[in-house]
Amino acid sequence: MKHWIVVTLVALVLSVPGVALAHGGHVHKVLGTVTDIDYPHMDVLTTDKKTVTIMLDGSSKITRGKVKLAETDIKVGDRVSVETEEKGGMMMVKTMKVGAVPAK
């Protein structure tokens, strides 16, 4: 009789972390190189060789050092560090730091 209570409790405990990880609004970090741009979408090849599609919107904050950039200042080949938040199934850019331009 008590066996079903234990099984139920174990199932409940094991399911809670999955639900917690699946919620929207969680900040994700992406580090890599821009490989494709089709505004407002952008593909980034991460350091572990996975392609992630991110989306820019009016609230995205983009900087290079302390200088604010427009989304059109981002170019294929730029190294980026991005914080995204999932909204409506899309990875929306909260902040994006673009790497310094190499000296010529």
Side-chain angles (χ1 to χ4, degrees):
M1 184 72 136
K2 291 182 181 181
H3 178 68
W4 70 270
I5 294 173
V6 171
V7 170
T8 302
L9 286 174
V10 169
L12 180 61
V13 167
L14 291 176
S15 68
V16 170
V19 171
L21 292 174
H23 73 285
H26 181 74
V27 175
H28 300 273
K29 294 187 179 188
V30 177
L31 179 64
T33 304
V34 177
T35 57
D36 188 40
I37 302 171
D38 185 16
Y39 296 110
H41 299 89
M42 180 177 306
D43 288 340
V44 176
L45 181 64
T46 65
T47 55
D48 58 350
K49 306 297 183 208
K50 295 180 183 174
T51 298
V52 177
T53 300
I54 57 176
M55 186 167 176
L56 299 162
D57 66 7
S59 67
S60 300
K61 293 179 177 38
I62 307 166
T63 58
R64 177 178 281 128
K66 293 185 180 187
V67 177
K68 290 184 182 179
L69 300 178
E71 65 183 38
T72 54
D73 293 328
I74 303 165
K75 305 295 181 214
V76 170
D78 281 343
R79 302 264 310 144
V80 293
S81 173
V82 186
E83 287 187 351
T84 65
E85 185 173 52
E86 187 175 346
K87 292 182 184 173
M90 297 294 301
M91 300 304 291
M92 304 298 293
V93 173
K94 290 180 68 172
T95 63
M96 175 183 286
K97 296 177 183 178
V98 181
V101 177
K104 292 183 179 183

